[in-house]
Amino acid sequence: MSYLITGGAGYVGAHVVRALAQAGESVAVYDDLSTGDTTRLPDGVPLVRGSVLDRGLLDRTLTEHRVTTVVHLAGHQDAAESVRQPLRYYRENLHGLQILLEAVRGARVPRFVFGSSAAVYGAPETELITEDAPCLPTTPYGETKLAGEWLVRAAGRAHGINTAALRCVNVAGTAAPHLADTAGRGLLPMTFEYLHAGSPARILGDDYPTGDGTCVRDFVHVEDVADAFVAAAQALVEQPTPDHLPLNVSRGEGVSVRQLIRAVAEITGHTRLRPRTAPRRPGDPARIVACPDLAAKHLGWTASRSLEDMITSAWAGWLRTAP
């Protein structure tokens, strides 16, 4: 097979590229480099710099690289930013996906894996979220991911494309320091920044209906995520007819913000810095923990790396570029 990874120079995308390259697969990357970093790419992996809004360049790329599978990870991913800039998110995340799918249809690419998000669920009132839970996203980012799933499924069924959608929870950790998440939007990098500066980490709200009053989240190692995308692409080869698998990519284990900060402090040696509490961030659900059973059933995939693995590797990556 020949893979094209959109957003392949980004944090998650680069790990997918790495996993495929190590498996001996033919891989090319399509990225506008607005947040991507070329130093993340393995030697010999070709990069096409361009936007998913550029139909002509997409057509040429799919043809020149004889692409048989697209893994779509390009797009904007900041939920809070999407509230402030909904038009940008709908243009890049949804209209860009439409143009990409039109190019995929035109090039007769038979397989398409869509990087979705647990943000499609919104603020569910359930301990463990399964894929048949109601999808009620609370941000434009989550809305574009849900609408993107619908679009991918419809295009696949209409045009004979085997498709899958992976709903990822909070992704953390790194396979190597140079592949680390440098965007600084997640809880881990924000906590690292506080501790490295000698300041107590912030807890945004401690009055949620959870065990210790702080939000509970499900974290999964980025290498496990990459393995899930590879497994999904391989599973589509075996599908005789077009299908659509919206699958959770998660560990199914909840970790509270307070527990995570405590673990970070212990691993990094900043145990004397106790966190301080700040007001809630609007729109934050109390608990998001997703059930990974369907991914195990359909892909033979389960997350194998621990929270400690995520924190330790992410800390090493963060120190590489820390001020």
Side-chain angles (χ1 to χ4, degrees), residues 239-308:
Q239 290 286 345
T241 57
D243 200 2
H244 185 77
L245 299 174
L247 300 175
N248 291 333
V249 175
S250 64
R251 290 192 308 145
E253 299 178 13
V255 180
S256 76
V257 171
R258 193 179 298 278
Q259 289 172 329
L260 183 70
I261 291 175
R262 186 183 302 122
V264 170
E266 291 175 355
I267 289 172
T268 62
H270 290 82
T271 53
R272 294 183 179 181
L273 293 173
R274 297 188 176 182
R276 59 187 176 90
T277 303
R280 286 187 183 193
R281 186 169 57 182
D284 272 351
R287 179 182 175 89
I288 298 286
V289 181
C291 178
D293 289 353
L294 274 186
K297 176 182 177 181
H298 289 285
L299 305 181
W301 172 91
T302 56
S304 62
R305 296 161 180 90
S306 68
L307 182 66
E308 182 178 352

Side-chain angles (χ1 to χ4, degrees), residues 102-259:
E102 289 172 349
V104 165
R105 178 191 61 179
R108 297 184 179 180
V109 176
R111 290 174 290 275
F112 191 96
V113 183
F114 178 57
S116 188
S117 167
V120 301
Y121 296 117
E125 297 180 359
T126 181
E127 287 289 305
L128 194 61
I129 309 166
T130 57
E131 288 83 351
D132 60 358
C135 289
L136 301 169
T138 57
T139 64
Y141 166 68
E143 292 167 358
T144 62
K145 286 300 184 181
L146 181 57
E149 287 187 13
W150 296 340
L151 180 56
V152 169
R153 179 179 60 197
R157 289 175 176 173
H159 304 297
I161 305 167
N162 282 7
T163 67
L166 301 187
R167 296 173 176 172
C168 301
V169 295
N170 296 272
V171 184
T174 185
H178 74 283
L179 296 176
D181 183 8
T182 57
R185 290 189 298 264
L187 180 58
L188 273 183
M190 287 192 294
T191 301
F192 293 158
E193 185 173 347
Y194 282 117
L195 296 182
H196 188 69
S199 303
R202 286 196 308 163
I203 292 175
L204 301 180
D206 62 355
D207 57 348
Y208 288 92
T210 60
D212 62 16
T214 65
C215 291
V216 173
R217 294 292 182 267
D218 193 348
F219 291 85
V220 63
H221 199 290
V222 67
E223 286 188 272
D224 284 326
V225 172
D227 291 342
F229 275 97
V230 173
Q234 292 173 343
L236 292 183
V237 177
E238 302 168 4
Q239 290 286 345
T241 57
D243 200 2
H244 185 77
L245 299 174
L247 300 175
N248 291 333
V249 175
S250 64
R251 290 192 308 145
E253 299 178 13
V255 180
S256 76
V257 171
R258 193 179 298 278
Q259 289 172 329

